Amino acid sequence: MTGLSRALWVALGGATIVFHIGLIFYGLVPNLVSRPLHMALALPWVLIFVAKNRFEKITGWMLCAAGLFASLWIALNQQMLGDQYGYLMGDFQLGIAIVLLVVVLEMARRSIGWPLPLVALLSILYGVFGEHIPGEFGYAGIPLQSYLGTLTIAEGGLWGSLTGISVSVVAIFVIFGAVLNAGEAGQGFMNVAAAAAGRLRGGAAKVSVVSSALFGSVSGSASANVASTGAITLPAMTRLGYPRALAGAVEAVASSGGQITPPLMGAGAFVMVELTGVPYTGIMAAAILPAFLYFLAVWVGINAFSRRYELKGLSADERPVMRTVVITSAFFLVPFAVLLFAMFALKFTPQYAACISILVAFALLFIDKALSFDRERTMARLEQALMNTGQQVSTIAAIIICASIIIGTLGITGLGVKITSLILSGSGGMLWPALLLTALACLVLGMEVPTTAAYVICISVAGPALTEIGLEPLQAHMFVFWFALLSTITPPVCGAVFISAGMVGENWLKVAVFAMALGIGLYLVPLGMIANPALIELASAPVTALLAAAKIGVGLSLISFGLIAPSKPYLRLLYGVAGGILIFI
């Protein structure tokens, strides 16, 4: 990449930041202006920047130009389009709609591969030809101009509420994370973790758990977690003699927890706010105890493995001195403290509070742990923050806008209601069979698409069935979101395991076996939420929620320890039965 080319990408990253932060302060901007512009800013990153060869670059430029024209046309003509109520007028508008859909599908394909755009394409084909399908899965059909128009020129498809979340909330927190991690915050995470857990038995593994929990609270991505914290923790564990499969499993499991850890939850928290109507603070309160229980099970599992292997802690010279820990921790604690104070004490909205925190994190880019200023280092950090912002905001935009096609089609055609009926009839109207069917659907979808996209699709089709059977909406959403994460560590497709296995140089299947044992909480905590509804009611009934968490925590600990430590099968069974009773009764 030439200097001029890099400067252009940095400038585009800066424009992305200015646009999204500006939306928080501009006042009311029409949705058919802000959301198409959000897509327009994402187009170059996902169609040109990631191009792998000359053909992809040429087609990327062509698609980017077409997508820019179409999205900017929507923004410029939003007032006229508002009077059309989602009905395309003439061949030109039909062409705009087709261009937008093709470009969005290709954006998603280049960002995350074929599965999600294929599902979106199938949904489009159903919307166009579904009236010819016999039986209950056919539908009456609507005019092509209405169907495509609702998806592309109204707020029922590409520019729907999910895209609104990506524009106004997710992008802001992605900027926050990118700015934070461009400075000393990442090292601060590691230093706090090493100081807190490094000296313990299995200390190197526990450093991975703590650092991944901290880093995940910002990144919300299992892959990003493995790649970042794993670059430090995996060599440390293997150097201390940890089995490679176990080291890889620890990192994969710990990093997967980032997507269920507030405040970001891989952007899922903000999607959940929109879909449930529960305030953001309520989502965070509901997610805290389940996330704690997940990491508790991992911690207990590491202790259990310490009985089978000699898992050493970090030596004194490998642990940071307290002065370094205090200084470097401030690089993430101060912005986080500002964020929480602005939200809870000043009652600012999450996105407004995040904007203030971004300014604080930005100021901290100018100094290091020695509290010194270096111009070249600061410029490099700013460049990293701008580039990472552009890439990450655009990838999430591509995923969410593509998923919006599916959600829009489910609503327009009534297919979502039909799938809900299928789940109800398949489960006989009983809760636990319906949960099993939903869990299987989440696992399969999660193998192929990112967690948040899998959650959105699954909750759209299974959520109504679960609530009709008797679950509270937030229970249903938390259950589906957790099970959408299963595929990060569960074969045959387990993304976090693949990455950690490659980094540690071990067979991925061996890593997956250890990961499923360590990550047993990922399978049991969602079921515990259903059996113990009070677990997610920390905001409204804190005492009851803490008691439920304590009961489930003991049960999880027994199961985690019994699954790994005892050598005799009857002891494992005994631990498992005792733990199961505590969780489910």
Side-chain angles (χ1 to χ4, degrees), residues 18 91 96 168 219 233 266 481-482 547 570 574:
V18 170
D91 292 340
I96 289 286
S168 62
S219 75
T233 60
F481 186 78
W482 271 65
L547 289 175
Y570 77 89
L574 186 62

Side-chain angles (χ1 to χ4, degrees), residues 345-371:
L346 302 180
K347 306 297 183 183
F348 291 163
T349 63
Q351 53 267 50
Y352 193 90
C355 287
I356 298 172
S357 302
I358 289 168
L359 295 177
V360 175
F362 174 79
L364 292 174
L365 293 180
F366 289 82
I367 58 175
D368 65 1
K369 60 186 176 184
L371 304 181

Side-chain angles (χ1 to χ4, degrees), residues 258-309:
Q259 293 196 45
I260 53 175
T261 304
L264 281 188
M265 297 168 62
F270 309 113
V271 178
M272 211 175 289
V273 168
E274 178 67 30
L275 297 180
T276 62
V278 177
Y280 174 69
T281 51
I283 298 294
M284 282 205 300
I288 287 173
L289 291 179
F292 170 79
L293 291 173
Y294 173 82
F295 285 106
L296 171 67
V298 177
W299 193 278
V300 171
I302 292 171
N303 283 337
F305 273 120
S306 298
R307 291 174 169 261
R308 293 170 55 182
Y309 306 103

Side-chain angles (χ1 to χ4, degrees), residues 417-429:
V417 175
K418 295 180 175 67
I419 297 175
T420 297
S421 299
L422 181 65
I423 293 173
L424 288 171
S425 60
S427 64

Side-chain angles (χ1 to χ4, degrees), residues 227-247:
S228 53
T229 60
I232 299 172
T233 60
L234 287 172
M237 284 188 276
T238 53
R239 187 176 65 250
L240 291 170
Y242 287 51
R244 290 183 179 274
L246 176 58

Side-chain angles (χ1 to χ4, degrees), residues 345-564:
L346 302 180
K347 306 297 183 183
F348 291 163
T349 63
Q351 53 267 50
Y352 193 90
C355 287
I356 298 172
S357 302
I358 289 168
L359 295 177
V360 175
F362 174 79
L364 292 174
L365 293 180
F366 289 82
I367 58 175
D368 65 1
K369 60 186 176 184
L371 304 181
S372 64
F373 169 76
D374 181 274
R375 182 179 175 277
E376 289 188 8
R377 182 192 63 221
T378 301
M379 294 305 294
R381 287 179 174 179
L382 291 173
E383 182 180 297
Q384 179 187 345
L386 295 175
M387 293 282 285
N388 287 345
T389 293
Q391 294 175 65
Q392 293 168 17
V393 168
S394 301
T395 300
I396 292 174
I399 293 168
I400 288 183
I401 294 173
C402 187
S404 295
I405 295 174
I406 302 168
I407 305 308
T409 299
L410 290 174
I412 295 168
T413 64
L415 180 60
V417 175
K418 295 180 175 67
I419 297 175
T420 297
S421 299
L422 181 65
I423 293 173
L424 288 171
S425 60
S427 64
M430 294 183 290
L431 176 60
W432 290 98
L435 292 174
L436 176 61
L437 290 172
T438 304
L440 289 173
C442 290
L443 176 60
V444 172
L445 263 176
M447 290 178 188
E448 305 293 352
V449 301
T451 302
T452 302
Y455 153 67
V456 168
I457 297 168
C458 278
I459 198 63
S460 298
V461 297
L466 296 180
T467 52
E468 189 171 331
I469 288 173
L471 289 189
E472 292 296 322
L474 185 56
Q475 262 187 305
H477 281 258
M478 292 289 289
F479 176 85
V480 169
F481 186 78
W482 271 65
F483 269 107
L485 187 61
L486 283 183
S487 61
T488 59
I489 62 171
T490 308
V493 180
C494 34
V497 166
F498 288 158
I499 296 171
S500 62
M503 293 177 70
V504 83
E506 182 56 276
N507 179 282
W508 71 268
L509 194 55
K510 292 181 180 178
V511 176
V513 171
F514 279 99
M516 286 189 290
L518 269 179
I520 189 67
L522 192 58
Y523 304 89
L524 295 180
V525 171
L527 300 175
M529 294 181 205
I530 306 302
N532 303 268
L535 180 64
I536 60 174
E537 296 175 357
L538 183 63
S540 58
V543 175
T544 309
L546 290 171
L547 289 175
K551 182 171 78 79
I552 296 172
V554 174
L556 261 181
S557 299
L558 288 172
I559 292 174
S560 181
F561 184 84
L563 186 64
I564 297 167

Side-chain angles (χ1 to χ4, degrees), residues 151 153 164 175 226 233 264 266 312 322 381 412 420 453 549 565 574 581:
L151 286 182
I153 66 169
I175 295 168
V226 173
T233 60
L264 281 188
K312 299 177 181 177
M322 187 52 62
R381 287 179 174 179
I412 295 168
T420 297
L574 186 62
I581 290 172

